[in-house]
Amino acid sequence: MTKAKALPFARHKYADGSFKKILIDGKWVSAASGKEFESINPATGELLATVAEGSEEDIDRAVIAARRAFDGPWSKFKPFERQEILLRLADLVERHFDELSALDTLDMGAPISRTRGSRRRALGMLRYYAGQATSIHGETIHNSQPGDFFSYTLKEPVGVVGAIIPWNGPLGAAIWKIGPALATGCTVVLKPAEEASLTPLRLGELALEAGVPPGVINIVPGFGETAGAALAAHPDVDKVAFTGSHVTGQSVVKASAGNLKRVSLELGGKSPDVVFADADLELAVAGAAMGVFANSGQTCSAGTRLFVERRIYAEFVDRVAEFGKRLRVGNGLDPETQIGPLVSEQQLDRVTSYLDLGRQEGARAIAGGTRLKEGALAQGYFVAPTVFADVVDDMRIAQEEIFGPVISAISFEDIDELVRRANSTMFGLGSGIWTRDVSKAHRLAGAIRAGSVWVNCYQAMDPAVPFGGYKMSGYGRESGLQHVDDYLNVKAVWIKTA
Ligand code: ADP
């Protein structure tokens, strides 16, 4: 195995690029297999770090620790104590802001400007969930036999949560699971994505420093088919919170059947972004472009089906193409970089095969359409921001999730027909509407079958606003009060008063 290079935070104990332990029961321990896997810097193709490979046995150890903590000491923590821990963790994330941003950039490629922005959002989330810890309550229910019975509900933590996260925003994804779990009094076994385990592991260290008791957060890096599958199937896990592809989501649901654990799924999308001729076109060009190109198209809610009203179609898609061509693609550590690499060689192959497919299907690449190989880019996994014009609804590039910087631009005329076409996808995660006509915006917002509708903006997010899917984009919501409820059981209590 080649030796990993020094990471850019020399004083840290992982400065030699090895993350050879996993977090179980408050201790950093070796993986049972003794095996390691490599994490590659996608901007350079170089070995970044070696990471301990957790297996089924490690997942089992972690679940045992999580159960023990849930049944024991953690259950005695008062809501305000859980709140204090979450707030301390947020402070530590803030203190290590630059390091965590750089680590995400190195591990999965996103430009530093983006990973810094994600850090801000992650902080907001942690503090939001900290606030929720002291706001959990049931209801008094006025039943229809008031003289006979008094009834009320209690909300109780669901138990041990298996959190399986993707690589496209590792720290944010980890916090999106750990935050509500700790707020509600659950314990967690977190399985990061094999492409991007470093920030979640570092978060584990900060969690211990923040005073998270042993067993409350366990972090087991490893592969999906082994560690991930073991977590989804584990008979002593009460809930799986999964973010990833719809195909893996289906495996998780099947695996969960053994003990009928609760499952929440935040899956992929092929989101429609609709531009009307009456929109502020300058705003819409930038919004439509960055609604896909941000994070090199590696966001589940990217507005990849760009529907443009026919009379402005040619001009508008040209402007989006020009916008895409001007974006600075490069190593994410360069503060000038706007678009980083794709996360892995496998992802590069997948995206470039869709670029070939688009051309074969008869679409016209008016921007990008190729891998970028000039100079230093040749070592990494870079794809040019791409706009395909002349796309029709049934092309595969208009139906399948590419997860790369690829816009499929489609024209439309009639709004009713547009609704039908926008909804004719198996997904339903995000959607965008660009118009100055408020009635049209409301009408369409009601008709589009998707978990989020962004009007004159794209991918706005907030810890208090629910995010999640319709149809094959999954179920359950992240952010907002419903997210907290997803980690709680409701118990009804009846008192006979007659
Ligand atoms: P992507 O295609 O974006 O990598 P995946 O859905 O494959 O998305 O991966 C998301 C997460 O799911 C990762 O942590 C991965 O290791 C995990 N995973 C992959 N396969 C399985 C599986 N069969 N069971 C549980 N988790 C899995």
Side-chain angles (χ1 to χ4, degrees):
M1 192 180 280
T2 25
K3 197 168 164 355
K5 280 202 178 153
L7 294 172
F9 24 92
R11 276 168 310 170
H12 190 266
K13 71 175 187 211
Y14 293 138
D16 71 342
S18 57
F19 286 65
K20 293 189 175 166
K21 302 273 178 178
I22 62 182
L23 178 59
I24 296 181
D25 209 11
K27 290 182 217 57
W28 292 96
V29 298
S30 301
S33 67
K35 287 201 271 186
E36 290 159 19
F37 63 94
E38 296 187 338
S39 188
I40 302 296
N41 178 344
T44 61
E46 291 172 340
L47 178 65
L48 175 66
T50 50
V51 181
E53 184 187 330
S55 60
E56 192 175 340
E57 198 179 331
D58 299 305
I59 291 289
D60 198 42
R61 289 196 289 163
V63 172
I64 290 170
R67 172 64 59 196
R68 200 164 43 228
F70 180 75
D71 289 341
W74 188 231
S75 65
K76 311 272 184 315
F77 272 67
K78 299 187 174 59
F80 79 87
E81 292 171 322
R82 300 200 305 268
Q83 180 174 63
E84 282 170 357
I85 287 177
L86 279 165
L87 289 173
R88 276 203 298 274
L89 181 57
D91 290 346
L92 283 167
V93 168
E94 188 158 31
R95 202 175 313 149
H96 294 273
F97 198 81
D98 290 336
E99 178 202 327
L100 290 164
S101 304
L103 201 52
D104 258 1
T105 294
L106 286 164
D107 209 8
M108 51 70 68
I112 196 86
S113 54
R114 181 180 172 86
T115 52
R116 289 180 67 87
S118 312
R119 274 319 61 82
R120 280 259 150 263
R121 264 207 306 280
L123 275 174
M125 273 193 268
L126 268 176
R127 290 177 175 141
Y128 173 83
Y129 294 117
Q132 292 308 316
T134 50
S135 307
I136 294 163
H137 53 78
E139 297 175 306
T140 303
I141 307 213
H142 298 279
N143 63 54
S144 52
Q145 305 149 73
D148 297 334
F149 297 103
F150 172 66
S151 46
Y152 64 94
T153 58
L154 296 172
K155 289 196 177 169
E156 298 176 344
V158 77
V160 175
V161 174
I164 303 176
I165 60 170
W167 42 261
N168 60 339
L171 188 82
I175 282 175
W176 240 359
K177 316 287 189 214
I178 285 174
L182 267 59
T184 51
C186 294
T187 56
V188 189
V189 177
L190 176 75
K191 209 296 281 169
E194 46 273 47
E195 295 86 350
S197 325
L198 306 192
T199 329
L201 284 165
R202 185 74 182 102
L203 183 68
E205 286 192 322
L206 297 179
L208 295 185
E209 207 177 319
V212 172
V216 173
I217 297 178
N218 307 274
I219 304 183
V220 184
F223 292 97
E225 308 77 52
T226 49
L231 189 55
H234 201 288
D236 206 25
V237 169
D238 298 295
K239 167 187 165 73
V240 167
F242 174 78
T243 302
S245 64
H246 74 280
V247 177
T248 307
Q250 289 172 315
S251 305
V252 166
V253 171
K254 284 183 199 144
S256 72
N259 68 335
L260 293 178
K261 59 174 67 66
R262 191 183 295 189
V263 179
S264 56
L265 302 169
E266 203 268 89
L267 309 177
K270 191 76 187 176
S271 301
D273 196 6
V274 180
V275 183
F276 289 97
D278 62 12
D280 175 337
L281 294 184
E282 199 171 324
L283 198 70
V285 165
M290 291 315 286
V292 175
F293 298 146
N295 215 24
S296 300
Q298 301 170 123
T299 58
C300 43
S301 55
T304 46
R305 281 186 304 147
L306 180 61
F307 285 96
V308 184
E309 196 165 353
R310 182 155 299 151
R311 63 195 162 93
I312 57 157
Y313 179 85
E315 179 209 332
F316 188 83
V317 295
D318 277 347
R319 285 175 69 178
V320 174
E322 284 312 308
F323 190 102
K325 287 178 198 166
R326 282 199 304 272
L327 291 169
R328 289 180 59 123
V329 182
N331 189 320
L333 286 180
D334 177 348
E336 303 285 300
T337 292
Q338 293 168 292
I339 307 292
L342 298 176
V343 72
S344 63
E345 195 165 4
Q346 189 188 2
Q347 196 59 21
L348 176 71
D349 290 346
R350 179 186 154 86
V351 172
T352 48
S353 74
Y354 272 107
L355 298 178
D356 295 340
L357 177 70
R359 278 186 283 267
Q360 283 158 26
E361 288 185 305
R364 216 160 31 92
I366 57 170
T370 53
R371 177 180 181 182
L372 292 172
K373 288 196 201 160
E374 300 87 57
L377 298 186
Q379 311 309 318
Y381 313 133
F382 295 92
V383 165
T386 297
V387 179
F388 274 123
D390 303 340
V391 176
V392 293
D393 296 2
D394 59 357
M395 287 181 183
R396 282 179 55 201
I397 59 162
Q399 289 296 328
E400 296 175 17
E401 186 175 41
I402 299 174
F403 230 61
V406 184
I407 291 176
S408 299
I410 309 168
S411 72
F412 75 92
E413 237 160 347
D414 172 73
I415 187 166
D416 292 319
E417 194 205 332
L418 166 76
V419 168
R420 183 190 57 72
R421 293 170 65 196
N423 285 336
S424 61
T425 159
M426 66 179 178
F427 296 112
L429 192 57
S431 59
I433 302 168
W434 301 86
T435 178
R436 287 191 171 97
D437 179 340
V438 72
S439 310
K440 205 151 61 182
H442 279 295
R443 186 175 151 204
L444 206 54
I448 287 184
R449 298 197 63 216
S452 295
V453 182
W454 289 288
V455 179
N456 295 329
C457 58
Y458 205 83
Q459 286 175 327
M461 299 285 250
D462 186 272
V465 181
F467 177 80
Y470 281 34
K471 301 191 274 182
M472 297 278 280
S473 292
Y475 42 77
R477 290 291 177 270
E478 298 202 297
S479 294
L481 294 181
Q482 193 190 325
H483 193 195
V484 178
D485 272 342
D486 266 359
Y487 288 70
L488 294 165
N489 274 322
V490 178
K491 177 184 278 176
V493 182
W494 292 80
I495 312 281
K496 190 159 166 53
T497 51

